[in-house]
Amino acid sequence: MGEIQEINPITRVEGHGKISIHLDDDKKVEDARFHVTEFRAFEKFVQGRVLWEMPEMTARICGICPVSHELAAAKACDDLVGAEVPKSAHKIRELLHMAQILQSHSLSFFYLSSPDLIMGFDASPEERNIFGLLKENEELADRGIALRSFGQTLIQSLGGKKVHPELAVPGGVNQNMIREKGEEFLGKIDDLKTYLLDTIDLMYNIYENIEIDAEEFASHETGYMGLVDEDGQLEFYDGDLRIVDSEGTTLTEFDPKEYDEVIGERSQNWSYMKFPYYKKLGFEDGVYRVGPLARLNLIDGISTELAHKVWERYKEIGTSKIKKGPLFYHLARLIETLHTVEKIEELLQDEDVYTGEINVPTQAREAKGIGVIEAPRGTLIHDYDSDKNGIIIDANFIVATGHNNAAINRSVKSVAEEYIDGSHEDEIPEGILNRLESVVRCYDPCLSCSTHAVGNMPLKVQLFSKDGKLMDEKSKDY
Amino acid sequence: MGKNKPKVATACMCGCSGCHMSFLDVDEFVKDLAELIEFQSSHVIMDIKDIDKVDIGIMEGTITNDENIEVAKKMRENCDILVAWGDCACFGGIMTMRNFEQIDKILKECYVDKGDEDSVVPDDDLIPTLTKKAKSLDEVIEVDAYIPGCPPSAEIIRYGLEKLLEGEIPKLDKDKLRY
Amino acid sequence: MTTVKFNVDGKEIIAQEGMTVMDACEENGIDIPKLCKHEALENVMACRLCVVEVDDKRIIPSCGLEVDEGLDIKTQTEKVRKHRRMILELVYRCENHYCMFCESDGDCELQDLMYEYEIDHFEFPRMFPEWPVDSSHDHIIKDNNRCIRCGRCIRACDEVVGNQTLSLGGRGITNNVVVDSGQPLGDSTCTSCGMCMQVCPTGALSNKHSMFKGIKEECELTNSTCLSCSIGCGTDIYTRTGHLVEIEGSDMDKESGGQLCERGRFKPITDRGKRITNVIYRENGEETELSLEEGLEKAANILRNSNEISAFASGGLTCEALDAFSKAMRAHGALFDIVGAKRYRFETEVKRRINMIEGHFVQDVKEIMKAENILLYDTSIYHTHPILASYIRRAASNGTTLMTIDAYEDRFWNHADKSITIESPKTQLTRLVNQVIKEGKASIEDLSRVSSILGGLRVHPRDVMEIVNLLEEASYDIIIIGCEIIDRWSLRHIFELAKLEGSYVISLNKASNQYIRSLETEGVYEEPEVAYILAGDEEDHEDMMKLVENADFSIVQSSKNSKLTELADLVIPSLSMYERNGTTIDIDGDKKEVKKAIEPKVEMKSEIAFFEELANKR
């Protein structure tokens, strides 16, 4: 009889998730799956509330990336009411967004993932965290704290709070940036650039010295999706959606509001989170990834100087320009962070964020409104239907981690198959389990986000006999 | 607290992790905390899976399934002082918006009505069962201190921790209390 | 006035007889918590939060307890605090308050009290009743989930606005505030004044357009006067980083209750008009943009080289702006008029002709609420002077007999005792009324005999007699004449009627600034060489349009794009109402201050300086 070992919960990720490893009689891996175990139902909550509340309400989906939801909601509401957001408001929203990506990526790299990279996957669980990092490499920890703090403080100066700020409204934003504060932030930019460049160098070092080959570890073929600007460059706030294949060739570029025609969703009978895929290629071949790894694979360049240079170097390492191994997510994340710092500098030097119209009057109408944005973890879509009075009658969210569902499952299975060869005694060694968790961490999943939707967290555990017969099956839907 | 560093465990039930993020907003103070406190477990930032006997337990999030109840009870058993962070743990929070509709109806609407003809609403032992209503923490266990907020600011969280380190139960007055 | 001595928290207080304990405490700096009490409204003792311990025995709501000699009051005992804490918790968990995404978060009286009483968790389970959100109204969102049944909105709509749109409906857990007999707010008798929203202590009634744009403590506050009509309501203007957020009525402790109307409260923040920021010159189908300096030169040139110039200004400008404009125009030999001034000139002429003294005219429009009978000519004041309309409704609700005369409909149908709808000019009706009064009631028989004449005039003898009877006793009667009555004859007959019966008169015109009573104006050329229109925020006024269409060359100075500016040959940007400093004269003849709330968003920083320069270039 086979057995199932669980890693529950997955630590150093946001939200509740677990991994199940299905072993055969020889203790070899038959299957390994990634499950989400919470249920949040925001798609239900927002029904019956007014559209003007959407940015504030949906921010509560997530404590790490509330700004992504707030901005996606504001964009969807702009679309609902047909508002043309003034230039200043557009730039102020972008500034908030950059600050968020900066803090979220910093959290992910320095606080959550770096302990594995600096101290090693086999370090003791007691040490493998920010506190251990503080002892092992205080300077690196300090950088992380400073970067995240800068992002959070900038968010606070625009939106009043660090977590769940209040800045974006349908039609624009509610205030200009204050000039004195802008000057203060600009004074710190150079330090941040240095921290990131140093950490990027460190990361290259790690790739060379770590016992895991980044190109091999959980590497697999998928497409990649993300927003691009009109020059095909890295874009977080607006632009068109681009999907490329596993070699980087563009398959399609489309207006994000038409996502429904391009992206399909399927529920597998063994998984609860739906699996988005590129309709044209069908379910198996249409799997794609989102997030830093995906974005740096599909773009033609980066609009800011330093990040562009670093990206060019990044493309050259390894054997392929397109990076397929999830371990590259970490470096990709750092490069994006550098870009956000440069963008913040640009925007804080732009007169438009300090003066200029910040919002336009809005009037509800019966309509559908779609807002798409690149959250730190990938493409985020908010889709609302409103009645003529502005009451939301239906809502659909597709979150980043959802897009990555298939890829995370494949990665987890791949790592399990590589490291669990049946030679372990009773329990799978802790370091191996940590490697499984660490591949999930590469994707920086946001599980509270991904379980916004009602009915989207099935959990299925299957027991197979050695001759492939399904022995037992237990499932649960949320 | 005794001569040794107080042991602290944190847990997140059904929440957005915003309170934990707000905690991390103490920035450099986290280094001081590392000297003053021994963090035993905190799944967002640490790898220890099990909850041991600790002096202070901190919880964020709403109770929405039986796994949450289990964790809450375990925390209560293992902690001398239990602190609730955030509106979700203190009052129930935004998750209680699912209480307007019966959970069975919600599940049916989303799984059966949106699924194919073979879809059912599963009901299994292996996986957490959803509670009928989303609840605040004190509807399930006894709570010693409340720090509301959505999330409570880093300053308030720090104030709470400092009070606990001084051996007091923090109670927010009108200047500090914010929802 | 007799005074009374009593004790509060061990301190001796001296208060006027008849005062409530709560008011006496507040006067002496002792804070008492409250939710249902409001300075503009009657006390109802609904929320019970203001309870105090009396003589160590009972706890009694202090808003309903009259001061008495020797009372021993304690306001913060453990008993009283526990009582208040329980009320707050029961109130909060009865409905569905989600502070985290409520737009009143940080600006909520209920929340402030919850903080003061340190409520950080619930002792009792919540109830989760289901209330749909009513977003049918253009401006106001009514969310019963956040209602605490303080009744302020109901009382405000009744006592201050006189409209009685809101009331309580349902019993037990289904009890909540209803609109009319259960209508959605957007399809009801609501006048869209927003008073209910202003007095609401929670987020149950909120402003669609200001939501999440800033709570009061995040905004700057400017106290000013509204220029939308001649009532000149006091305004509290909230701005943030130089942009309008919300406008509320000030002076809530006065008899007006701090009302505003839809035009004063909501129009400025919902205005989608495109702001004019540059001078535009149109010639031969070509459009060029000019600098302000160039625009000034161009205008001066054109004026200098023309003879028949008609200058016409909006009535919604400050005295200083009107002065400067009129001086500049006169310097160029123009004829000068202001919106609403023509009507005032007719009035003055008629008054002189029939020897009508100023004493017949009401000096303070709030006197309406003391009148025994009101005769209202033209019910359009419901739209033109909504606050005046509220005074009329309040009077009618409190026993005043209200009779209305209108060409099309009675907008006071809910409150009027008698509505006369007559399509022919009111002048005929009034002339007959005057005749009957002079010749005696029996003369109506003779008039009836010439019923074919009456029939042709569509005046019913019954209507004539009703008016005669209404005004006949020597009682305090007020005749109100709305803005649609613009001809000399109607005015003459109505003034004569007032003289005959000893009634008082309120005569309205469309100018917001009653400076028209002192500033010299005259009728202008109807087909001038040049028309110079200072439109300000005025949109597509009929007379302005006619002038621009008939002039050889038109100059329009306006704050935003409109049909008027599309027709003009030279368009010059103007300041908006919130960018001006100055004064205005209201309907009672009082001077009120207009204060700038935001910095001008156009190149022109001072309109007065602009006109001074224009005057110099004659």
Side-chain angles (χ1 to χ4, degrees):
Chain A
M1 268 275 279
E3 64 168 304
I4 302 165
Q5 248 204 286
E6 275 183 19
I7 305 174
N8 183 22
I10 302 171
T11 55
R12 286 186 282 130
V13 294
E14 193 286 326
H16 295 257
K18 61 188 190 185
I19 295 173
S20 64
I21 308 159
H22 307 243
L23 302 173
D24 64 14
D25 291 338
D26 301 319
K27 293 195 279 182
K28 286 208 167 58
V29 170
E30 268 180 349
D31 204 359
R33 294 193 190 141
F34 165 66
H35 317 271
V36 180
T37 54
E38 58 184 317
F39 166 56
R40 307 195 72 231
F42 271 79
E43 276 175 1
K44 188 76 192 158
F45 296 167
V46 300
Q47 286 175 31
R49 302 301 310 178
V50 293
L51 68 93
W52 296 275
E53 287 176 320
M54 291 301 105
E56 269 307 284
M57 265 191 97
T58 59
R60 264 76 192 180
I61 291 175
C62 181
I64 304 187
C65 57
V67 170
S68 304
H69 287 288
E70 183 176 324
L71 293 177
K75 287 179 82 176
C77 291
D78 295 338
D79 197 22
L80 271 178
V81 302
E84 221 180 283
V85 169
K87 185 172 55 155
S88 290
H90 192 281
K91 292 185 183 176
I92 294 167
R93 282 184 182 179
E94 240 194 297
L95 182 58
L96 187 74
H97 195 36
M98 294 300 119
Q100 188 209 220
I101 296 175
L102 165 59
Q103 69 82 1
S104 171
H105 277 355
S106 304
L107 175 84
S108 171
F109 182 80
F110 294 92
Y111 285 76
L112 305 182
S113 298
S114 72
D116 289 327
L117 302 168
I118 304 295
M119 285 137 65
F121 296 98
D122 297 309
S124 84
E126 286 82 10
E127 293 300 311
R128 245 172 16 217
N129 50 57
I130 183 74
F131 303 109
L133 184 70
L134 276 164
K135 286 191 220 141
E136 178 85 17
N137 189 339
E138 189 173 349
E139 204 207 314
L140 188 68
D142 277 343
R143 280 187 218 155
I145 293 172
L147 282 160
R148 182 170 180 272
S149 174
F150 181 92
Q152 291 286 72
T153 313
L154 180 50
I155 290 174
Q156 185 181 39
S157 74
L158 284 164
K161 288 160 77 173
K162 292 183 178 176
V163 181
H164 306 317
E166 208 174 283
L167 176 73
V169 294
V173 295
N174 59 29
Q175 63 168 334
N176 289 105
M177 178 79 195
I178 309 291
R179 205 177 289 272
E180 294 74 41
K181 293 194 184 157
E183 305 287 318
E184 252 182 75
F185 286 118
L186 278 169
K188 301 194 177 131
I189 295 278
D190 284 336
D191 282 342
L192 301 184
K193 287 180 187 170
T194 314
Y195 296 159
L196 284 164
L197 288 167
D198 288 346
T199 313
I200 288 169
D201 281 338
L202 174 66
M203 203 55 223
Y204 279 121
N205 229 309
I206 291 174
Y207 282 136
E208 274 165 38
N209 296 316
I210 205 169
E211 84 275 14
I212 296 175
D213 185 341
E215 290 200 284
E216 300 279 320
F217 186 68
S219 182
H220 57 280
E221 309 285 306
T222 64
Y224 304 100
M225 183 174 86
L227 285 173
V228 289
D229 70 11
E230 62 222 352
D231 300 315
Q233 301 191 304
L234 182 63
E235 173 62 49
F236 286 109
Y237 183 72
D238 247 342
D240 283 338
L241 271 173
R242 178 189 279 183
I243 301 182
V244 303
D245 68 13
S246 61
E247 300 313 314
T249 317
T250 302
L251 294 171
T252 178
E253 226 168 276
F254 58 98
D255 179 348
K257 295 194 185 149
E258 289 159 22
Y259 79 92
D260 204 26
E261 292 163 38
V262 181
I263 299 171
E265 286 188 293
R266 177 179 294 196
S267 326
Q268 289 280 61
N269 63 359
W270 56 265
S271 176
Y272 295 94
M273 210 182 319
K274 288 193 215 170
F275 289 81
Y277 62 95
Y278 176 42
K279 271 184 180 164
K280 225 172 179 176
L281 290 181
F283 177 59
E284 278 299 328
D285 298 324
V287 171
Y288 58 85
R289 283 185 270 192
V290 296
L293 184 83
R295 290 189 285 248
L296 294 198
N297 277 345
L298 60 89
I299 55 175
D300 302 328
I302 302 183
S303 64
T304 58
E305 204 186 316
L306 286 173
H308 184 82
K309 272 208 204 86
V310 176
W311 172 76
E312 285 187 316
R313 181 184 168 198
Y314 165 82
K315 298 291 271 181
E316 295 311 314
I317 61 166
T319 58
S320 156
K321 281 197 196 286
I322 301 296
K323 306 291 180 268
K324 303 176 191 180
L327 218 54
F328 284 112
Y329 260 103
H330 297 305
L331 180 53
R333 208 163 277 128
L334 289 170
I335 298 173
E336 286 193 335
T337 314
L338 181 59
H339 169 68
T340 65
V341 170
E342 292 182 284
K343 267 309 273 189
I344 289 172
E345 184 178 27
E346 213 179 276
L347 288 163
L348 285 175
Q349 286 167 336
D350 191 335
E351 192 56 30
D352 286 336
V353 305
Y354 302 109
T355 57
E357 284 307 307
I358 51 173
N359 58 60
V360 291
T362 57
Q363 193 172 25
R365 55 184 188 175
E366 192 176 333
K368 180 179 262 295
I370 299 174
V372 180
I373 203 168
E374 282 296 318
R377 293 156 184 81
T379 315
L380 172 64
I381 302 172
H382 278 217
D383 180 343
Y384 304 140
D385 288 315
S386 145
D387 75 5
K388 65 177 163 49
N389 294 326
I391 302 271
I392 301 291
I393 45 186
D394 204 2
N396 186 31
F397 306 137
I398 303 186
V399 269
T401 304
H403 295 288
N404 282 340
N405 190 15
I408 297 177
N409 269 281
R410 287 183 188 178
S411 302
V412 162
K413 183 164 180 193
S414 151
V415 172
E417 282 169 349
E418 188 182 331
Y419 286 88
I420 303 171
D421 56 6
S423 64
H424 62 272
E425 298 267 328
D426 299 308
E427 298 287 321
I428 303 172
E430 204 277 331
I432 307 288
L433 293 178
N434 188 36
R435 279 168 177 73
L436 278 163
E437 288 180 84
S438 78
V439 82
V440 175
R441 285 181 204 121
C442 289
Y443 290 87
D444 185 22
C446 192
L447 304 178
S448 298
C449 281
S450 67
T451 69
H452 61 276
V454 170
N456 274 4
M457 273 96 33
L459 176 63
K460 195 163 189 150
V461 178
Q462 293 175 310
L463 273 174
F464 291 92
S465 71
K466 58 176 184 263
D467 47 0
K469 259 222 295 262
L470 178 63
M471 309 262 314
D472 199 359
E473 195 175 292
K474 301 218 186 256
S475 56
K476 180 84 197 169
D477 255 314
Y478 293 111
Chain B
M1 294 283 161
K3 279 182 288 194
N4 299 323
K5 287 199 282 190
K7 281 205 176 122
V8 175
T10 79
C12 184
M13 294 173 291
C14 187
C16 73
S17 304
C19 294
H20 278 79
M21 291 304 112
S22 190
F23 161 64
L24 291 177
D25 283 332
V26 297
D27 298 332
E28 301 80 23
F29 183 64
V30 81
K31 296 206 266 188
D32 300 48
L33 278 177
E35 302 301 312
L36 299 165
I37 284 176
E38 190 191 317
F39 278 92
Q40 187 268 317
S41 113
S42 180
H43 296 151
V44 171
I45 50 173
M46 298 170 64
D47 286 349
I48 308 291
K49 313 281 186 203
D50 295 318
I51 301 164
D52 272 352
K53 274 232 167 293
V54 293
D55 299 294
I56 303 168
I58 302 174
M59 300 187 75
E60 86 163 77
T62 317
I63 304 267
T64 59
N65 62 38
D66 54 13
E67 190 180 69
N68 296 152
I69 297 177
E70 243 178 76
V71 169
K73 289 195 170 144
K74 192 143 190 222
M75 284 287 274
R76 180 71 270 186
E77 241 177 76
N78 288 340
C79 311
D80 290 335
I81 299 174
L82 192 73
V83 182
W85 269 353
D87 284 354
C88 288
C90 294
F91 292 109
I94 199 169
M95 282 308 300
T96 59
M97 287 188 77
R98 81 156 166 87
N99 293 353
F100 295 112
E101 182 94 66
Q102 291 186 6
I103 190 60
D104 303 322
K105 265 202 217 154
I106 298 180
L107 289 172
K108 181 175 176 296
E109 181 186 313
C110 300
Y111 190 61
V112 176
D113 296 348
K114 284 184 181 171
D116 62 28
E117 60 248 4
D118 293 326
S119 298
V120 291
V121 176
D123 178 11
D124 192 276
D125 300 328
L126 263 191
I127 335 163
T129 320
L130 290 171
T131 55
K132 278 211 165 66
K133 300 277 177 204
K135 302 182 204 179
S136 61
L137 188 54
D138 59 9
E139 292 190 67
V140 172
I141 57 170
E142 202 179 300
V143 173
D144 301 305
Y146 296 90
I147 313 267
C150 188
S153 70
E155 288 76 30
I156 298 297
I157 288 183
R158 179 170 166 165
Y159 168 82
L161 290 170
E162 283 171 340
K163 275 271 170 264
L164 288 163
L165 287 171
E166 288 166 22
E168 283 177 45
I169 304 283
K171 171 93 180 143
L172 300 178
D173 64 18
K174 71 173 182 202
D175 296 320
K176 298 199 179 57
L177 184 58
R178 292 290 176 267
Y179 296 158
Chain C
M1 253 262 168
T2 5
T3 55
V4 153
K5 260 191 237 166
F6 64 106
N7 272 315
V8 178
D9 296 335
K11 183 172 140 188
E12 190 182 77
I13 304 272
I14 300 173
Q16 303 271 18
E17 202 179 41
M19 242 188 158
T20 62
V21 167
M22 180 191 257
D23 286 340
C25 286
E26 308 244 294
E27 231 178 47
N28 285 276
I30 301 167
D31 205 23
I32 309 259
K34 54 186 158 306
L35 276 174
C36 67
K37 183 183 191 296
H38 192 280
E39 58 192 343
L41 310 169
E42 292 288 312
N43 289 348
V44 290
M45 288 167 281
C47 72
R48 322 299 286 189
L49 269 172
C50 66
V51 289
V52 293
E53 208 166 325
V54 181
D55 298 333
D56 291 321
K57 278 188 277 190
R58 305 153 294 166
I59 54 174
I60 296 181
S62 56
C63 68
L65 179 64
E66 239 179 70
V67 297
D68 202 4
E69 190 73 30
L71 271 183
D72 181 33
I73 306 284
K74 297 206 174 68
T75 68
Q76 294 288 337
T77 61
E78 193 43 53
K79 188 175 181 183
V80 142
R81 286 187 69 87
K82 188 169 169 207
H83 190 89
R84 292 178 189 151
R85 207 176 294 128
M86 188 178 292
I87 293 173
L88 285 169
E89 198 194 309
L90 287 171
V91 157
Y92 191 89
R93 71 16 125 196
C94 227
E95 300 308 327
N96 306 308
H97 296 270
Y98 290 94
C99 296
M100 75 275 305
F101 66 83
C102 177
E103 77 97 27
S104 292
D105 181 26
D107 221 355
C108 172
E109 294 180 50
L110 174 63
Q111 195 185 56
D112 287 341
L113 284 168
M114 307 271 298
Y115 291 162
E116 195 179 316
Y117 284 81
E118 296 175 8
I119 296 173
D120 55 15
H121 66 281
F122 291 134
E123 301 285 341
F124 303 97
R126 268 178 61 188
M127 302 189 67
F128 300 103
E130 237 188 300
W131 296 108
V133 175
D134 181 352
S135 180
S136 58
H137 195 274
D138 284 337
H139 312 302
I140 302 169
I141 296 180
K142 181 168 176 287
D143 187 356
N144 277 358
N145 288 292
R146 297 169 179 165
C147 178
I148 60 171
R149 317 301 187 282
C150 66
R152 282 187 189 173
C153 56
I154 297 169
R155 281 176 284 142
C157 194
D158 174 23
E159 295 165 22
V160 173
V161 187
N163 215 42
Q164 296 99 23
T165 301
L166 301 171
S167 55
L168 278 177
R171 289 191 178 281
I173 194 151
T174 67
N175 171 269
N176 213 317
V177 175
V178 294
V179 176
D180 290 334
S181 46
Q183 261 80 321
L185 191 62
D187 193 18
S188 67
T189 58
C190 173
T191 63
S192 305
C193 71
M195 189 70 193
C196 54
M197 216 174 66
Q198 186 165 327
V199 298
C200 178
T202 68
L205 290 160
S206 33
N207 188 335
K208 257 185 203 183
H209 317 290
S210 308
M211 290 179 107
F212 302 108
K213 292 190 179 162
I215 56 174
K216 297 206 166 85
E217 70 180 40
E218 289 168 335
C219 297
E220 287 85 49
L221 172 59
T222 310
N223 186 252
S224 184
T225 307
C226 181
L227 283 169
S228 298
C229 83
S230 57
I231 301 296
C233 299
T235 51
D236 281 337
I237 305 173
Y238 291 93
T239 58
R240 195 173 184 195
T241 60
H243 307 275
L244 286 180
V245 174
E246 190 162 19
I247 301 171
E248 289 197 334
S250 56
D251 311 320
M252 294 191 89
D253 53 344
K254 306 259 174 20
E255 233 180 315
S256 65
Q259 279 187 82
L260 279 182
C261 71
E262 188 177 6
R263 277 208 317 279
R265 188 189 296 275
F266 296 116
K267 190 160 185 294
I269 52 178
T270 58
D271 200 336
R272 307 175 95 164
K274 195 159 167 291
R275 192 69 194 266
I276 291 181
T277 49
N278 288 317
V279 175
I280 300 170
Y281 176 58
R282 295 190 181 105
E283 190 178 28
N284 301 325
E286 294 240 342
E287 224 178 75
T288 12
E289 257 180 41
L290 303 173
S291 73
L292 192 63
E293 201 45 55
E294 289 169 337
L296 179 66
E297 272 310 315
K298 184 76 94 224
N301 261 335
I302 288 167
L303 291 169
R304 216 182 292 125
N305 294 319
S306 308
N307 289 318
E308 288 192 353
I309 306 170
S310 294
F312 198 57
S314 154
L317 299 165
T318 58
C319 303
E320 293 76 9
L322 287 171
D323 254 337
F325 182 57
S326 92
K327 284 207 183 88
M329 291 298 103
R330 297 224 188 277
H332 286 274
L335 291 178
F336 171 68
D337 201 359
I338 304 175
V339 166
K342 187 173 179 180
R343 158 75 185 262
Y344 189 73
R345 289 195 296 272
F346 287 171
E347 231 175 78
T348 316
E349 204 186 299
V350 171
K351 272 190 257 180
R352 206 187 57 235
R353 222 167 258 218
I354 66 170
N355 223 357
M356 184 126 168
I357 55 167
E358 272 315 304
H360 264 293
F361 289 85
V362 171
Q363 299 304 312
D364 178 351
V365 289
K366 292 197 281 293
E367 287 291 308
I368 288 175
M369 296 187 279
K370 296 201 195 116
E372 271 176 69
N373 301 303
I374 295 175
L375 179 60
L376 171 63
Y377 282 83
D378 170 28
T379 62
S380 75
I381 66 162
Y382 180 93
H383 296 295
T384 61
H385 297 75
I387 307 306
L388 243 161
S390 82
Y391 295 159
I392 294 174
R393 287 191 297 262
R394 276 157 77 168
S397 303
N398 286 322
T400 304
T401 310
L402 172 64
M403 192 181 298
T404 66
I405 305 172
D406 194 284
Y408 306 107
E409 58 170 317
D410 181 7
R411 295 172 188 89
F412 292 85
W413 58 271
N414 223 1
H415 292 83
D417 296 288
K418 162 89 187 173
S419 316
I420 300 174
T421 311
I422 168 171
E423 274 184 54
S424 69
K426 330 295 175 283
T427 187
Q428 303 293 347
L429 171 64
T430 316
R431 182 170 62 72
L432 288 165
V433 167
N434 292 348
Q435 200 170 325
V436 168
I437 292 171
K438 284 186 219 156
E439 294 174 16
K441 287 192 190 173
S443 65
I444 191 68
E445 310 272 326
D446 297 326
L447 295 171
S448 301
R449 254 184 268 122
V450 273
S451 63
S452 59
I453 303 171
L454 282 174
L457 298 171
R458 282 171 299 206
V459 173
H460 204 288
R462 184 191 57 217
D463 292 342
V464 174
M465 289 318 293
E466 293 250 15
I467 297 174
V468 169
N469 290 329
L470 180 78
L471 301 175
E472 72 175 339
E473 289 146 27
S475 51
Y476 188 22
D477 301 334
I478 298 184
I479 300 178
I480 306 175
I481 314 170
C483 307
E484 296 296 314
I485 314 274
I486 49 172
D487 64 295
R488 286 183 190 79
W489 277 108
S490 295
L491 287 174
R492 176 162 179 163
H493 290 305
I494 299 171
F495 285 1
E496 267 178 359
L497 173 59
K499 264 188 93 178
L500 280 170
E501 295 290 51
S503 318
Y504 292 87
V505 178
I506 296 176
S507 179
L508 301 165
N509 59 65
K510 283 204 173 138
S512 305
N513 192 345
Q514 292 300 297
Y515 191 41
I516 56 167
R517 297 179 193 174
S518 14
L519 193 58
E520 212 183 297
T521 58
E522 59 261 339
V524 297
Y525 303 108
E526 287 183 13
E527 292 181 6
E529 275 176 65
V530 178
Y532 196 136
I533 315 280
L534 177 56
D537 293 322
E538 198 101 34
E539 267 170 48
D540 299 337
H541 191 275
E542 210 184 318
D543 295 340
M544 292 179 180
M545 291 289 288
K546 272 205 212 109
L547 270 177
V548 164
E549 278 163 357
N550 294 334
D552 295 334
F553 190 93
S554 59
I555 305 172
V556 171
Q557 197 158 329
S558 170
S559 62
K560 49 187 185 264
N561 237 5
S562 64
K563 284 200 215 97
L564 201 62
T565 60
E566 291 297 307
L567 288 173
D569 300 298
L570 181 64
V571 181
I572 301 176
S574 169
L575 298 182
S576 86
M577 186 156 57
Y578 303 95
E579 297 166 349
R580 292 175 190 282
N581 269 329
T583 54
T584 182
I585 311 286
D586 77 1
I587 196 174
D588 295 332
D590 295 324
K591 187 177 261 199
K592 291 182 170 157
E593 221 184 314
V594 174
K595 272 215 222 97
K596 183 170 75 168
I598 51 181
E599 284 304 315
K601 299 191 179 188
V602 293
E603 200 189 324
M604 180 189 299
K605 300 302 172 207
S606 164
E607 215 147 33
I608 292 163
F610 180 85
F611 289 129
E612 273 168 9
E613 256 202 83
L614 187 61
N616 290 337
K617 288 184 194 283
R618 76 172 92 90

